[in-house]
Structures are given as C-alpha cells and as structure tokens.
Amino acid sequence: MRRHLDAPVSPLTWNILLELAAAKHSKDMADRKYFSHNSPAGATPSQRITAAGYNYNWWGENIASGPQTEAEVVNGWLASPGHCKNLMSPNFKEMGVGRTADLWTQVFATPSR
C-alpha cells in the first residue's frame, strides 16, 4: 500500500459526538435512500457535526456504501487517495464512525479549544 503523506501522524481519539454525527448520517442515507455527503435537504457534514454539539477547527468525512465489515470499509478507504488523505491527515485529532446496513460514515475533526 502506498502512503499518501510522508510523515507519520498521531493516532486518532474516539469521540462520541462525532460518532453520533456519523451514525445519524448513515441512518439518514439509509432511510431516505441516498448516498452523498450532503442530505437531500442540504445538510452538510459541518452542520451535522455542529448539531451533535461538537465545536471544531477542522473537519472531514468519509462515506462508503457496500462494505459488510470494518476491515472491508477501512481497506476501501485506504485504497482511495481522497479517503486515505483524510485517514492520514495531521489536521484531525478525533473521529467517530457510524453504520446503518452497508452505509458507513466516518467523521474526523479537531476540537476548537
């Protein structure tokens, strides 16, 4: 596997608010039958993160449709340059993941202090 960034980054910390934002987005995509970072009503990832109560300086989001296991979804994200860039970004300190059926959302952020 090719690394998309040269320097190693610190491990991410799990954040329950980011998990909540991710889980709600995966459920919304399943319930309303769409696959996009923005909801049909126009809600953006940054709006969902804020609505979950998380104050951030940086944010990012990965979504996936189809993988059945954690290993499959992570391997897919690592194989995609854009998704891998989010996973390896030094800008992000925390993350959360949510899944409904085969729809996955991974939210990254750095809290504002």
Side-chain angles (χ1 to χ4, degrees):
M1 179 184 78
R2 185 176 147 237
R3 288 275 321 256
H4 297 284
L5 296 176
D6 295 331
V9 295
S10 299
L12 297 168
T13 302
W14 192 265
N15 182 282
I16 192 71
L17 297 176
L18 297 178
E19 177 186 6
L20 176 64
K24 283 186 173 185
H25 186 55
S26 290
K27 184 170 180 349
D28 189 54
M29 288 191 293
D31 290 348
R32 296 207 269 174
K33 298 178 179 27
Y34 72 95
F35 182 71
S36 175
H37 290 284
N38 296 339
S39 77
T44 65
S46 64
Q47 291 170 327
R48 290 190 296 273
I49 294 165
T50 300
Y54 189 96
N55 297 314
Y56 61 87
N57 284 332
W58 295 93
W59 67 267
E61 182 179 79
N62 287 343
I63 58 176
S65 175
Q68 298 298 309
T69 67
E70 290 84 356
E72 286 178 35
V73 75
V74 170
N75 286 335
W77 285 331
L78 287 170
S80 163
H83 294 101
C84 187
K85 185 176 178 181
N86 276 344
L87 283 163
M88 302 299 175
S89 174
N91 293 329
F92 304 132
K93 305 300 179 202
E94 299 179 333
M95 66 162 270
V97 176
R99 173 189 183 188
T100 297
D102 67 350
L103 295 167
W104 302 75
T105 304
Q106 182 177 38
V107 178
F108 305 92
T110 295
S112 59
R113 300 281 186 223

